[in-house]
Amino acid sequence: MAGGQRFHLDQDGHSVTVQLRGRRDEAEVLVDGKVVAYQRGSVKRTTALEAELPGDPPRPFRILISPVEGPDGAPFCVMERAGTRYLMPLVPLRHPDRPAQPGPSPTLLVRRRLRRLLHRRAGRR
């Protein structure tokens, strides 16, 4: 799996999110912001994670994650509940209207490195 993907779907008034982290091969399912299912390990074939939507009685569902990448380069993620399958759309990890936060300027980085170097050399004398 590639790293850092999030899939989201609103189901029966509840927020269902699947987060994938490729470096550590982790998959977690969140319902209303709380982790309800988690798996760690390499995914070589379709993986199923089981969880429940809150309510009385709780409503079970299953998330199917396929390692086969779709047209956007992300794996397919499907929610299966009561015999019906819902394709979960890929959601960006940051808000599209908010620009990416720029890092420190190169000048600031050089100044920091020079300051540290001078402090280290002054301490050795």
Side-chain angles (χ1 to χ4, degrees):
M1 272 190 285
Q5 285 127 356
R6 179 175 27 176
F7 301 89
H8 181 80
L9 187 66
D10 288 324
Q11 187 72 27
D12 293 339
H14 297 284
S15 169
V16 180
T17 305
V18 177
Q19 292 184 350
L20 305 176
R21 296 186 189 109
R23 286 185 184 164
R24 294 182 287 189
D25 287 332
E26 295 177 334
E28 61 184 11
V29 179
L30 295 93
V31 174
D32 298 331
K34 296 180 182 177
V35 177
V36 294
Y38 175 84
Q39 179 178 343
R40 186 173 188 175
S42 180
V43 178
K44 302 231 188 285
R45 57 180 182 250
T46 301
T47 302
L49 295 164
E50 309 242 347
E52 294 178 338
L53 289 174
D56 191 27
R59 295 165 302 226
F61 68 92
R62 185 166 61 167
I63 299 291
L64 302 170
I65 304 167
S66 172
V68 177
E69 294 184 353
D72 54 1
F76 284 107
C77 187
V78 176
M79 178 181 183
E80 190 176 78
R81 189 174 147 253
T84 307
R85 290 185 174 186
Y86 305 92
L87 183 62
M88 297 185 71
L90 182 66
V91 178
L93 291 174
R94 64 177 177 83
H95 196 275
D97 296 337
R98 204 176 299 160
Q101 294 293 327
S105 70
T107 306
L108 180 65
L109 292 175
V110 169
R111 285 181 184 170
R112 284 183 188 168
R113 288 182 185 161
L114 283 173
R115 194 176 315 131
R116 287 182 189 148
L117 179 66
L118 290 174
H119 283 280
R120 286 184 193 148
R121 290 199 176 177
R124 290 183 188 169
R125 292 181 186 170

